[in-house]
Amino acid sequence: MPKTLKITSHGVNFETNKDHWLNELRILEAQKLSIAEGGGARAVERQRSQGKMLARERIEYLIDAETDFHELGSFAAWEMYQEWGGAPAAGVVTGLGRIEGRECVIVSNDATVKAGAWFPATCRKILRAQEVAMENRLPIVYLVDSAGVFLPLQDEIFPDKEDFGRVFFNNARLSAEGIYQISAIMGSCVAGGAYLPIMSDEALIVEGTGTIFLAGSHLVQAAIGERIDNESLGGAEVQVDVSGVVDDRFPDDRSALDHIRARIGELAHPTMAPFDRREAKAPEPELDSVLGVMPVERSNPYDTHELLACLLDASEFTEYKATYGKTMVCGTGRIDGWAVGIVANQRKIVYRRRGLEAGKQEMQIGGVIYSEAADKATRFISLMNQKGIPILFLQDVTGFMVGSKSEQEGIIKDGAKLVNVVANSVVPKITIFIGNSFGAGNYALCGRAYGARFFYAWPSASISVMGGDQASKTLLAIQLKNRGDEISESEKAALLHEIKERYWAAAQPRYAAARQWFDEIIDPRETRAIISRSIQAAAHQARIEDFKVGVLQT
């Protein structure tokens, strides 16, 4: 039977935590608004003077009224490419939007950012959008307005497997899988980028602003001496009426977007995966309570059950093996009516029973994965695959337990079993980085490399190979190894502080989001709605593969 979870830790710390995270969320929202300004007022005015809508305006017009665009990757390229003036949101807006009632992936170039040129981060972001479409069998809409590859960085975007060419590879694979793609050429579409709309199932172009060609007028003149303007070379009339490369032409952005809506509305309705869903019930704690549970200091303990009380329908949770492997919390509940399996770290100190002797207990550190916790999670994940229940991973993990005792208990073997089953899990996985995500703990609880359908992070997240204190001391020891007694204690302290600051800066959520180690930084209070939408998107992939694993060391 499910147990109703409650919050028992109300007090000064609870209110302090809540105030801190409310302020952090205000900062986060202000930064997102700044990102949404794209290349700035002058670039915006230039685009409007051409009669073009902005990237986000196109999306807002395209999606159904009174629905939300679920943006992914808004912090992509955050504080990167500063020598080139930056690239807000990597110069492209991506995410999920409902069009005629259908969930779609939308990719919209932001021409206010370097004329929509592709930076390396732009390429990764579009590849991720295509991955979301592929894994969840969602139609994908490309709103093309791009000058092509950002030439100063061409060596970082052009030839490798996960570079520019992979986008067109994905075009071909999506089409072969029967996943509908439609493109609207609403501005420049140049060189290799011209293949993206033409490899889509349907392609449209806007008259007067849309152009598509393998080489623009300047390159044509340099290459073969021909003098011609861009409109005569690859404008709407040429590419629709003469070459037949593009299917239809439209007088303005809005009429092209209206046509996309009509095309999406004609699509056959997919068979949905049979994930169980019932009428939703609100959690018992107030909405802001989740902010009070999460400590400001990442090293401070808290009871994961209290966090789950804020996320689960009616705060009800059926725990799996509650008295075994206590540093891992596993169990089932519902989020917005959807049945979900939960795998989360327990962050408070717990006690492990030692043998059958009465009163014999052993203290275990919260957030650390011990052998029996790994064993429990492995069994639970296998069970969720057997029952066809999506899995939610909540990461606040400092890694696997180390030391002679853990090695003798077989921590490597138990950790390997957990990583194996996570890698081979076939039900939809959603990962949320809520706190620490260190070392192999990141892998074991379905980090970026382990194929979750969606990855999100709270502002409290921190991703690195190990904790800042341990890493900084290790790096300091390496630097001092051959320096002997030449450095004073005060110099050592200053150097340690410098290393620690630099290390922690690289572990912060915006740094990780800039490099697209997860899809979006989210407000913890919106977690339930975001998980629900993610499961609904994942349900479009109706066919669930047979669950099987390779060799497990027993």
Side-chain angles (χ1 to χ4, degrees), residues 174-232:
L174 284 157
S175 187
E177 289 289 326
I179 299 168
Y180 180 70
Q181 302 171 88
I182 185 169
S183 293
I185 303 157
M186 313 183 87
S188 297
C189 186
V190 187
Y195 289 109
L196 184 148
I198 306 310
M199 293 187 71
S200 299
D201 299 308
E202 294 190 66
L204 325 173
I205 190 168
V206 177
E207 297 168 350
T209 57
T211 55
I212 178 169
F213 33 63
L214 290 182
S217 56
H218 295 297
L219 181 54
V220 167
Q221 183 176 347
I224 64 173
E226 181 183 1
R227 293 179 178 272
I228 189 169
D229 62 82
N230 283 340
E231 184 66 25
S232 301

Short mmCIF file of all heavy atoms in Angstrom, two decimals, residues 174-232:
data_model
loop_
_atom_site.label_atom_id
_atom_site.label_comp_id
_atom_site.label_asym_id
_atom_site.label_seq_id
_atom_site.Cartn_x
_atom_site.Cartn_y
_atom_site.Cartn_z
N LEU A 174 15.27 10.15 -40.07
CA LEU A 174 13.92 10.51 -39.62
C LEU A 174 12.89 10.21 -40.70
O LEU A 174 11.84 9.62 -40.42
CB LEU A 174 13.88 12.00 -39.25
CG LEU A 174 14.52 12.39 -37.91
CD1 LEU A 174 14.90 13.87 -37.91
CD2 LEU A 174 13.56 12.09 -36.76
N SER A 175 13.20 10.59 -41.92
CA SER A 175 12.26 10.35 -43.02
C SER A 175 12.07 8.86 -43.24
O SER A 175 10.94 8.39 -43.45
CB SER A 175 12.78 11.02 -44.30
OG SER A 175 11.82 10.94 -45.33
N ALA A 176 13.16 8.11 -43.19
CA ALA A 176 13.08 6.65 -43.38
C ALA A 176 12.25 5.99 -42.28
O ALA A 176 11.59 4.97 -42.52
CB ALA A 176 14.48 6.05 -43.42
N GLU A 177 12.26 6.58 -41.08
CA GLU A 177 11.49 6.03 -39.96
C GLU A 177 10.03 6.48 -40.00
O GLU A 177 9.25 6.12 -39.11
CB GLU A 177 12.13 6.46 -38.63
CG GLU A 177 13.46 5.78 -38.34
CD GLU A 177 13.29 4.32 -37.99
OE1 GLU A 177 12.25 3.97 -37.38
OE2 GLU A 177 14.17 3.52 -38.35
N GLY A 178 9.66 7.28 -40.98
CA GLY A 178 8.28 7.75 -41.08
C GLY A 178 7.95 8.87 -40.12
O GLY A 178 6.78 9.12 -39.82
N ILE A 179 8.99 9.58 -39.65
CA ILE A 179 8.79 10.72 -38.75
C ILE A 179 8.75 11.98 -39.61
O ILE A 179 9.74 12.34 -40.24
CB ILE A 179 9.90 10.78 -37.69
CG1 ILE A 179 9.88 9.50 -36.84
CG2 ILE A 179 9.74 12.02 -36.81
CD1 ILE A 179 11.09 9.32 -35.96
N TYR A 180 7.61 12.66 -39.62
CA TYR A 180 7.36 13.75 -40.55
C TYR A 180 8.22 14.96 -40.23
O TYR A 180 8.35 15.39 -39.08
CB TYR A 180 5.88 14.12 -40.47
CG TYR A 180 5.47 15.26 -41.38
CD1 TYR A 180 5.43 15.08 -42.76
CD2 TYR A 180 5.11 16.49 -40.84
CE1 TYR A 180 5.03 16.13 -43.60
CE2 TYR A 180 4.70 17.53 -41.67
CZ TYR A 180 4.68 17.34 -43.04
OH TYR A 180 4.28 18.38 -43.86
N GLN A 181 8.82 15.55 -41.31
CA GLN A 181 9.61 16.76 -41.21
C GLN A 181 9.09 17.77 -42.24
O GLN A 181 8.89 17.42 -43.40
CB GLN A 181 11.09 16.50 -41.51
CG GLN A 181 11.75 15.47 -40.60
CD GLN A 181 13.13 15.12 -41.12
OE1 GLN A 181 14.12 15.76 -40.79
NE2 GLN A 181 13.21 14.08 -41.94
N ILE A 182 8.90 19.00 -41.80
CA ILE A 182 8.51 20.07 -42.73
C ILE A 182 9.36 21.30 -42.43
O ILE A 182 9.62 21.61 -41.26
CB ILE A 182 7.00 20.39 -42.63
CG1 ILE A 182 6.61 21.43 -43.69
CG2 ILE A 182 6.59 20.81 -41.24
CD1 ILE A 182 5.10 21.60 -43.84
N SER A 183 9.82 21.97 -43.49
CA SER A 183 10.68 23.14 -43.34
C SER A 183 10.06 24.34 -44.03
O SER A 183 9.43 24.21 -45.08
CB SER A 183 12.06 22.88 -43.96
OG SER A 183 12.76 21.90 -43.24
N ALA A 184 10.27 25.51 -43.43
CA ALA A 184 9.92 26.78 -44.07
C ALA A 184 11.18 27.61 -44.17
O ALA A 184 11.81 27.90 -43.15
CB ALA A 184 8.85 27.51 -43.27
N ILE A 185 11.56 27.98 -45.40
CA ILE A 185 12.73 28.83 -45.63
C ILE A 185 12.26 30.27 -45.52
O ILE A 185 11.57 30.78 -46.39
CB ILE A 185 13.34 28.54 -47.02
CG1 ILE A 185 13.70 27.05 -47.13
CG2 ILE A 185 14.56 29.42 -47.26
CD1 ILE A 185 13.77 26.56 -48.57
N MET A 186 12.62 30.93 -44.40
CA MET A 186 12.06 32.24 -44.06
C MET A 186 13.12 33.34 -44.12
O MET A 186 12.86 34.48 -43.77
CB MET A 186 11.41 32.17 -42.68
CG MET A 186 10.52 30.95 -42.53
SD MET A 186 9.65 30.85 -40.97
CE MET A 186 8.19 31.81 -41.34
N GLY A 187 14.32 32.96 -44.56
CA GLY A 187 15.43 33.89 -44.69
C GLY A 187 16.51 33.20 -45.50
O GLY A 187 16.21 32.43 -46.42
N SER A 188 17.76 33.42 -45.13
CA SER A 188 18.86 32.78 -45.84
C SER A 188 18.88 31.28 -45.58
O SER A 188 18.55 30.82 -44.49
CB SER A 188 20.19 33.39 -45.41
OG SER A 188 20.25 34.76 -45.75
N CYS A 189 19.30 30.55 -46.60
CA CYS A 189 19.51 29.10 -46.47
C CYS A 189 20.63 28.76 -47.45
O CYS A 189 20.41 28.65 -48.65
CB CYS A 189 18.24 28.34 -46.79
SG CYS A 189 18.36 26.57 -46.49
N VAL A 190 21.84 28.61 -46.91
CA VAL A 190 23.04 28.68 -47.74
C VAL A 190 23.87 27.41 -47.64
O VAL A 190 23.93 26.76 -46.59
CB VAL A 190 23.92 29.88 -47.31
CG1 VAL A 190 25.10 30.08 -48.25
CG2 VAL A 190 23.09 31.14 -47.23
N ALA A 191 24.55 27.09 -48.75
CA ALA A 191 25.59 26.06 -48.81
C ALA A 191 25.05 24.72 -48.29
O ALA A 191 23.94 24.32 -48.64
CB ALA A 191 26.83 26.51 -48.05
N GLY A 192 25.83 24.04 -47.44
CA GLY A 192 25.40 22.73 -46.95
C GLY A 192 24.09 22.80 -46.20
O GLY A 192 23.32 21.83 -46.19
N GLY A 193 23.81 23.97 -45.57
CA GLY A 193 22.54 24.12 -44.85
C GLY A 193 21.33 24.00 -45.73
O GLY A 193 20.22 23.76 -45.26
N ALA A 194 21.51 24.15 -47.04
CA ALA A 194 20.39 24.03 -47.97
C ALA A 194 19.83 22.61 -48.00
O ALA A 194 18.67 22.40 -48.40
CB ALA A 194 20.83 24.44 -49.37
N TYR A 195 20.64 21.64 -47.58
CA TYR A 195 20.15 20.27 -47.62
C TYR A 195 19.09 20.01 -46.55
O TYR A 195 18.23 19.15 -46.71
CB TYR A 195 21.31 19.29 -47.44
CG TYR A 195 22.22 19.22 -48.64
CD1 TYR A 195 23.50 19.75 -48.60
CD2 TYR A 195 21.78 18.65 -49.84
CE1 TYR A 195 24.33 19.70 -49.71
CE2 TYR A 195 22.60 18.60 -50.95
CZ TYR A 195 23.87 19.13 -50.88
OH TYR A 195 24.68 19.09 -51.99
N LEU A 196 19.15 20.74 -45.42
CA LEU A 196 18.21 20.47 -44.32
C LEU A 196 16.76 20.61 -44.77
O LEU A 196 15.97 19.66 -44.59
CB LEU A 196 18.52 21.39 -43.14
CG LEU A 196 17.67 21.15 -41.87
CD1 LEU A 196 18.49 21.46 -40.63
CD2 LEU A 196 16.41 21.99 -41.86
N PRO A 197 16.33 21.74 -45.36
CA PRO A 197 14.92 21.80 -45.78
C PRO A 197 14.59 20.88 -46.94
O PRO A 197 13.46 20.35 -47.01
CB PRO A 197 14.73 23.28 -46.17
CG PRO A 197 16.09 23.77 -46.49
CD PRO A 197 17.02 23.02 -45.57
N ILE A 198 15.54 20.67 -47.84
CA ILE A 198 15.23 19.87 -49.03
C ILE A 198 15.26 18.38 -48.71
O ILE A 198 14.67 17.57 -49.43
CB ILE A 198 16.19 20.24 -50.18
CG1 ILE A 198 16.15 21.75 -50.42
CG2 ILE A 198 15.83 19.49 -51.45
CD1 ILE A 198 14.74 22.33 -50.57
N MET A 199 15.89 18.00 -47.61
CA MET A 199 15.82 16.61 -47.16
C MET A 199 14.64 16.39 -46.22
O MET A 199 14.41 15.27 -45.77
CB MET A 199 17.13 16.19 -46.50
CG MET A 199 18.29 16.12 -47.48
SD MET A 199 19.81 15.43 -46.77
CE MET A 199 19.36 13.70 -46.58
N SER A 200 13.91 17.45 -45.90
CA SER A 200 12.66 17.31 -45.17
C SER A 200 11.59 16.73 -46.11
O SER A 200 11.75 16.74 -47.33
CB SER A 200 12.20 18.66 -44.62
OG SER A 200 13.16 19.19 -43.72
N ASP A 201 10.50 16.26 -45.55
CA ASP A 201 9.44 15.68 -46.38
C ASP A 201 8.74 16.75 -47.22
O ASP A 201 8.32 16.48 -48.34
CB ASP A 201 8.42 14.96 -45.49
CG ASP A 201 9.07 13.83 -44.71
OD1 ASP A 201 9.73 12.98 -45.34
OD2 ASP A 201 8.95 13.81 -43.47
N GLU A 202 8.60 17.94 -46.65
CA GLU A 202 8.02 19.06 -47.40
C GLU A 202 8.82 20.32 -47.09
O GLU A 202 9.33 20.49 -45.98
CB GLU A 202 6.55 19.28 -47.02
CG GLU A 202 5.63 18.14 -47.43
CD GLU A 202 4.17 18.50 -47.27
OE1 GLU A 202 3.69 19.39 -47.99
OE2 GLU A 202 3.51 17.87 -46.42
N ALA A 203 8.91 21.21 -48.10
CA ALA A 203 9.65 22.46 -47.93
C ALA A 203 8.87 23.61 -48.52
O ALA A 203 8.33 23.52 -49.64
CB ALA A 203 11.02 22.36 -48.60
N LEU A 204 8.80 24.71 -47.77
CA LEU A 204 8.12 25.93 -48.18
C LEU A 204 9.13 27.07 -48.22
O LEU A 204 10.20 26.97 -47.63
CB LEU A 204 6.99 26.29 -47.20
CG LEU A 204 6.21 25.15 -46.54
CD1 LEU A 204 5.27 25.70 -45.49
CD2 LEU A 204 5.43 24.38 -47.61
N ILE A 205 8.77 28.19 -48.86
CA ILE A 205 9.66 29.35 -48.89
C ILE A 205 8.82 30.62 -48.87
O ILE A 205 7.70 30.65 -49.42
CB ILE A 205 10.60 29.30 -50.12
CG1 ILE A 205 11.68 30.37 -50.02
CG2 ILE A 205 9.82 29.42 -51.41
CD1 ILE A 205 12.81 30.20 -51.05
N VAL A 206 9.36 31.65 -48.21
CA VAL A 206 8.68 32.94 -48.14
C VAL A 206 9.23 33.85 -49.22
O VAL A 206 10.45 34.02 -49.36
CB VAL A 206 8.87 33.57 -46.74
CG1 VAL A 206 8.22 34.96 -46.70
CG2 VAL A 206 8.26 32.68 -45.67
N GLU A 207 8.34 34.46 -49.98
CA GLU A 207 8.74 35.33 -51.08
C GLU A 207 9.39 36.61 -50.55
O GLU A 207 8.94 37.20 -49.57
CB GLU A 207 7.51 35.70 -51.93
CG GLU A 207 6.86 34.50 -52.59
CD GLU A 207 5.50 34.81 -53.18
OE1 GLU A 207 4.96 35.91 -52.93
OE2 GLU A 207 4.96 33.93 -53.90
N GLY A 208 10.45 37.02 -51.23
CA GLY A 208 11.10 38.28 -50.89
C GLY A 208 12.15 38.20 -49.81
O GLY A 208 13.09 38.98 -49.80
N THR A 209 12.00 37.24 -48.88
CA THR A 209 12.98 37.10 -47.79
C THR A 209 13.69 35.75 -47.83
O THR A 209 14.84 35.64 -47.42
CB THR A 209 12.31 37.28 -46.42
OG1 THR A 209 11.25 36.33 -46.28
CG2 THR A 209 11.78 38.69 -46.25
N GLY A 210 13.01 34.72 -48.31
CA GLY A 210 13.61 33.39 -48.35
C GLY A 210 14.47 33.19 -49.59
O GLY A 210 14.04 33.50 -50.71
N THR A 211 15.67 32.69 -49.40
CA THR A 211 16.55 32.31 -50.52
C THR A 211 17.25 31.01 -50.16
O THR A 211 17.59 30.78 -48.98
CB THR A 211 17.61 33.38 -50.81
OG1 THR A 211 18.36 33.65 -49.61
CG2 THR A 211 16.99 34.66 -51.34
N ILE A 212 17.46 30.18 -51.15
CA ILE A 212 18.16 28.91 -50.92
C ILE A 212 19.05 28.61 -52.11
O ILE A 212 18.61 28.64 -53.27
CB ILE A 212 17.16 27.75 -50.65
CG1 ILE A 212 17.92 26.43 -50.46
CG2 ILE A 212 16.09 27.65 -51.72
CD1 ILE A 212 17.05 25.30 -49.95
N PHE A 213 20.33 28.36 -51.82
CA PHE A 213 21.30 28.02 -52.87
C PHE A 213 22.53 27.41 -52.23
O PHE A 213 22.79 27.60 -51.03
CB PHE A 213 21.69 29.24 -53.71
CG PHE A 213 21.71 30.54 -52.96
CD1 PHE A 213 22.57 30.75 -51.89
CD2 PHE A 213 20.85 31.57 -53.32
CE1 PHE A 213 22.59 31.95 -51.20
CE2 PHE A 213 20.86 32.79 -52.64
CZ PHE A 213 21.73 32.97 -51.58
N LEU A 214 23.29 26.69 -53.04
CA LEU A 214 24.53 26.10 -52.54
C LEU A 214 25.64 27.14 -52.41
O LEU A 214 26.55 26.97 -51.60
CB LEU A 214 25.00 24.96 -53.45
CG LEU A 214 24.14 23.70 -53.43
CD1 LEU A 214 24.73 22.64 -54.35
CD2 LEU A 214 24.01 23.15 -52.02
N ALA A 215 25.59 28.20 -53.22
CA ALA A 215 26.58 29.27 -53.13
C ALA A 215 25.89 30.59 -53.41
O ALA A 215 25.13 30.72 -54.38
CB ALA A 215 27.71 29.04 -54.14
N GLY A 216 26.12 31.60 -52.56
CA GLY A 216 25.54 32.91 -52.75
C GLY A 216 26.20 33.68 -53.88
O GLY A 216 27.18 33.22 -54.49
N SER A 217 25.66 34.85 -54.15
CA SER A 217 26.10 35.62 -55.33
C SER A 217 27.59 35.96 -55.29
O SER A 217 28.27 35.91 -56.32
CB SER A 217 25.27 36.89 -55.44
OG SER A 217 25.35 37.66 -54.24
N HIS A 218 28.12 36.30 -54.12
CA HIS A 218 29.54 36.65 -54.03
C HIS A 218 30.43 35.45 -54.35
O HIS A 218 31.42 35.57 -55.09
CB HIS A 218 29.86 37.19 -52.64
CG HIS A 218 29.17 38.48 -52.33
ND1 HIS A 218 29.41 39.64 -53.03
CD2 HIS A 218 28.23 38.79 -51.39
CE1 HIS A 218 28.65 40.61 -52.54
NE2 HIS A 218 27.92 40.12 -51.54
N LEU A 219 30.07 34.28 -53.82
CA LEU A 219 30.87 33.08 -54.08
C LEU A 219 30.74 32.65 -55.55
O LEU A 219 31.72 32.22 -56.16
CB LEU A 219 30.44 31.95 -53.15
CG LEU A 219 31.19 30.62 -53.29
CD1 LEU A 219 32.70 30.83 -53.18
CD2 LEU A 219 30.70 29.62 -52.27
N VAL A 220 29.54 32.80 -56.11
CA VAL A 220 29.35 32.46 -57.53
C VAL A 220 30.25 33.32 -58.41
O VAL A 220 30.91 32.82 -59.33
CB VAL A 220 27.86 32.62 -57.92
CG1 VAL A 220 27.70 32.59 -59.43
CG2 VAL A 220 27.01 31.52 -57.29
N GLN A 221 30.31 34.60 -58.11
CA GLN A 221 31.17 35.48 -58.91
C GLN A 221 32.64 35.11 -58.74
O GLN A 221 33.40 35.07 -59.72
CB GLN A 221 30.96 36.94 -58.51
CG GLN A 221 31.77 37.91 -59.37
CD GLN A 221 31.49 39.35 -59.03
OE1 GLN A 221 30.53 39.66 -58.33
NE2 GLN A 221 32.32 40.25 -59.53
N ALA A 222 33.03 34.80 -57.49
CA ALA A 222 34.43 34.44 -57.25
C ALA A 222 34.78 33.11 -57.91
O ALA A 222 35.90 32.92 -58.40
CB ALA A 222 34.69 34.37 -55.74
N ALA A 223 33.82 32.18 -57.94
CA ALA A 223 34.11 30.83 -58.44
C ALA A 223 34.05 30.74 -59.96
O ALA A 223 34.93 30.14 -60.59
CB ALA A 223 33.13 29.83 -57.82
N ILE A 224 33.02 31.34 -60.56
CA ILE A 224 32.84 31.15 -62.01
C ILE A 224 32.68 32.47 -62.78
O ILE A 224 32.46 32.45 -63.99
CB ILE A 224 31.64 30.23 -62.31
CG1 ILE A 224 30.33 30.86 -61.85
CG2 ILE A 224 31.84 28.86 -61.67
CD1 ILE A 224 29.10 30.06 -62.27
N GLY A 225 32.76 33.59 -62.07
CA GLY A 225 32.69 34.88 -62.75
C GLY A 225 31.31 35.36 -63.09
O GLY A 225 31.16 36.43 -63.70
N GLU A 226 30.28 34.64 -62.71
CA GLU A 226 28.91 35.04 -63.02
C GLU A 226 28.43 36.12 -62.06
O GLU A 226 28.56 35.97 -60.84
CB GLU A 226 27.97 33.84 -62.95
CG GLU A 226 26.52 34.18 -63.29
CD GLU A 226 25.58 32.98 -63.13
OE1 GLU A 226 26.05 31.89 -62.76
OE2 GLU A 226 24.37 33.15 -63.40
N ARG A 227 27.84 37.19 -62.57
CA ARG A 227 27.27 38.26 -61.76
C ARG A 227 25.76 38.07 -61.66
O ARG A 227 25.07 38.09 -62.69
CB ARG A 227 27.59 39.63 -62.35
CG ARG A 227 29.08 39.99 -62.32
CD ARG A 227 29.32 41.36 -62.96
NE ARG A 227 30.71 41.73 -62.89
CZ ARG A 227 31.27 42.38 -61.87
NH1 ARG A 227 30.51 42.71 -60.84
NH2 ARG A 227 32.55 42.70 -61.88
N ILE A 228 25.26 37.90 -60.44
CA ILE A 228 23.83 37.67 -60.25
C ILE A 228 23.47 38.02 -58.82
O ILE A 228 24.31 37.89 -57.91
CB ILE A 228 23.47 36.18 -60.56
CG1 ILE A 228 21.96 35.97 -60.58
CG2 ILE A 228 24.17 35.23 -59.59
CD1 ILE A 228 21.53 34.60 -61.12
N ASP A 229 22.26 38.52 -58.58
CA ASP A 229 21.84 38.82 -57.20
C ASP A 229 21.22 37.57 -56.57
O ASP A 229 20.83 36.62 -57.27
CB ASP A 229 20.85 39.99 -57.18
CG ASP A 229 19.58 39.68 -57.93
OD1 ASP A 229 18.69 39.02 -57.36
OD2 ASP A 229 19.50 40.07 -59.12
N ASN A 230 21.12 37.59 -55.25
CA ASN A 230 20.66 36.40 -54.51
C ASN A 230 19.23 36.01 -54.87
O ASN A 230 18.90 34.82 -54.96
CB ASN A 230 20.77 36.63 -53.01
CG ASN A 230 22.19 36.51 -52.51
OD1 ASN A 230 23.05 35.90 -53.17
ND2 ASN A 230 22.47 37.09 -51.35
N GLU A 231 18.35 36.98 -55.09
CA GLU A 231 16.96 36.67 -55.40
C GLU A 231 16.85 35.96 -56.75
O GLU A 231 16.12 34.98 -56.89
CB GLU A 231 16.13 37.97 -55.43
CG GLU A 231 14.65 37.76 -55.65
CD GLU A 231 13.95 37.03 -54.51
OE1 GLU A 231 14.45 37.09 -53.35
OE2 GLU A 231 12.90 36.40 -54.77
N SER A 232 17.61 36.43 -57.74
CA SER A 232 17.58 35.79 -59.05
C SER A 232 18.27 34.43 -59.02
O SER A 232 17.96 33.54 -59.82
CB SER A 232 18.28 36.69 -60.09
OG SER A 232 17.64 37.95 -60.17
#
